[in-house]
Amino acid sequence: MSGKITLPATLESWEQVYNFLNENLDSMDCSEKVKTQVLIAAEEIYVNIARYAYKEGGGTAAVEISREEDTGEITIVFTDSGVCYNPLERSDPDITLSADEREIGGLGIYMVRKMMDEVTYQYKEGNNILTIKKNKIT
């Protein structure tokens, strides 16, 4: 079970990505909790691609979702050909500090790491490829 969508990497495209993922997650019999976690993580990643991947002129982003039939594991792969950037190299924010004291940035990818079971990044053939996985879907 899988699907893929490629759209302009814009904030306006998020609604289409959301609908695509939501429909696929529904067909995969995800619990509401897991679906919410996956959609929050996906929004964080996609919005960052839309805001930061392309300097000028824009580009596209591909979102691919699949479910491993044997294990039920859900994998979502985000691919863009924007500026090479590995968000996993960023150190975790100090969440013991107040919002006023904390350095700006990094909280979104921190949340993604906490909600997903696996988050990986690779730069391959001019593409940023960020993969998130959720092992238990019920």
Side-chain angles (χ1 to χ4, degrees):
M1 189 177 293
S2 66
K4 183 175 182 178
I5 189 171
T6 302
L7 297 164
T10 64
L11 295 175
E12 294 76 25
S13 294
W14 166 245
E15 185 176 351
Q16 289 175 273
V17 174
Y18 173 88
N19 291 334
F20 165 76
L21 292 174
N22 194 43
E23 288 171 15
N24 276 277
L25 291 167
D26 280 345
S27 72
M28 295 175 181
D29 296 322
C30 286
S31 70
E32 284 301 312
K33 178 181 178 182
V34 168
K35 191 163 88 167
T36 299
Q37 289 174 335
V38 169
L39 289 171
I40 289 170
E43 180 178 17
E44 178 60 36
I45 294 164
Y46 189 83
V47 167
N48 280 339
I49 292 169
R51 285 188 176 153
Y52 306 116
Y54 299 98
K55 299 236 183 232
E56 288 183 31
T60 61
V63 181
E64 184 173 4
I65 185 169
S66 61
R67 177 179 175 210
E68 180 63 43
E69 291 302 322
D70 295 342
T71 63
E73 177 183 77
I74 293 174
T75 301
I76 302 176
V77 180
F78 299 85
T79 306
D80 70 78
S81 58
V83 175
C84 177
Y85 177 69
N86 181 354
L88 303 181
E89 289 179 344
R90 186 179 184 108
S91 58
D92 288 343
D94 185 348
I95 59 171
T96 63
L97 298 174
S98 71
D100 290 336
E101 297 172 311
R102 196 174 16 223
E103 188 177 315
I104 293 175
L107 193 56
I109 197 68
Y110 173 79
M111 290 182 351
V112 170
R113 287 172 138 169
K114 293 297 179 190
M115 288 186 289
M116 298 296 102
D117 295 309
E118 185 178 335
V119 182
T120 59
Y121 170 86
Q122 62 178 322
Y123 188 76
K124 187 175 178 181
E125 297 175 3
N127 291 305
N128 294 292
I129 305 167
L130 187 72
T131 303
I132 60 174
K133 294 184 179 187
K134 192 69 175 171
N135 296 333
K136 187 174 180 195
I137 65 166
T138 56

